Amino acid sequence: MNQENLTERDQFFSKLSHDLRGSFTSTLGFSDILNDPNEKLTYEEVNEFVSRIGNQTRESYELLLNFINWLKLDNYNYGLTKESLNLLDMVFQTKNYYKKILAENKIDVNIKIDDHQYLYMDYEIANSIFNNIFLFLKRITKFNSTIVIQTVKSEIENFSVVEFITNCAEEDLSYLTNIKLEKLTGNVSYPIVFAIKFTELSGGHFEFFQDIDNTLKIVLSLPNR
């Protein structure tokens, strides 16, 4: 089967498997260097390789979880356990997970979420959605700025709506509207595509708005019943 005959999903999984292999190969390579007695590494070099192994392992782990959750959703919602989830808890949990990474870029997070907002979803799917959004925002948000996360009143019954607002470093993010899987390029593509597709497959809605001053707003609507 040539590339032209591959479906959108086939192309996506092909790229995903390529990234997974590359990430694991890098991790094994760094590990081999650390275990080689002939490598006279300094303390600083050892710390650098350990840090790289940690980063590569995290990326591989996130990609693998996304792949598993995609299969759960795509195969007729197989294996999903829907439950009532506190939205504020989910956001705080994700913020704390990325606390160190955000701090390295001097990115602050201002959360304005009503404690009585809930979602009715599979926990792993909801967690993946927020993880991917945070990872995407971390990559496109300007250095030394603030991400605002707030809830707004939903115009649709049985949905909770949360907005993510940030100043983005990229001038044009119009490609995020009706994004196509076969068009993916760069490190920024995967996390936001997973977030969009997981939201859609869960019955929710995902929208982008970008102002001329490069303020980006992501509006996420997820079922709460």
Side-chain angles (χ1 to χ4, degrees), residues 49-86:
F49 281 119
V50 170
S51 177
R52 290 188 181 185
I53 288 174
N55 291 334
Q56 291 291 342
T57 302
R58 180 193 292 270
E59 290 182 10
S60 300
Y61 175 72
E62 293 296 338
L63 277 173
L64 198 55
L65 281 183
N66 279 325
F67 182 73
I68 292 170
N69 284 330
W70 183 294
L71 293 178
K72 284 171 63 178
L73 278 170
D74 204 32
N75 286 278
Y76 309 101
N77 290 325
Y78 175 76
L80 297 183
T81 303
K82 294 185 179 181
E83 57 184 311
S84 184
L85 305 171
N86 184 278

Side-chain angles (χ1 to χ4, degrees), residues 86-98:
N86 184 278
L87 177 58
L88 183 60
D89 288 345
M90 293 293 301
V91 172
F92 263 118
Q93 173 184 300
T94 313
K95 174 192 173 184
N96 289 334
Y97 184 72
Y98 288 104

Side-chain angles (χ1 to χ4, degrees), residues 24-38:
F24 280 117
T25 299
S26 295
T27 300
L28 291 171
F30 295 142
S31 178
D32 287 342
I33 293 174
L34 288 174
N35 286 317
D36 187 347
N38 294 319

Side-chain angles (χ1 to χ4, degrees), residues 10-33:
D10 291 333
Q11 291 185 47
F12 179 64
F13 284 155
S14 175
K15 291 180 181 181
L16 177 58
S17 63
H18 177 271
D19 275 20
L20 275 171
R21 285 195 299 270
S23 186
F24 280 117
T25 299
S26 295
T27 300
L28 291 171
F30 295 142
S31 178
D32 287 342
I33 293 174

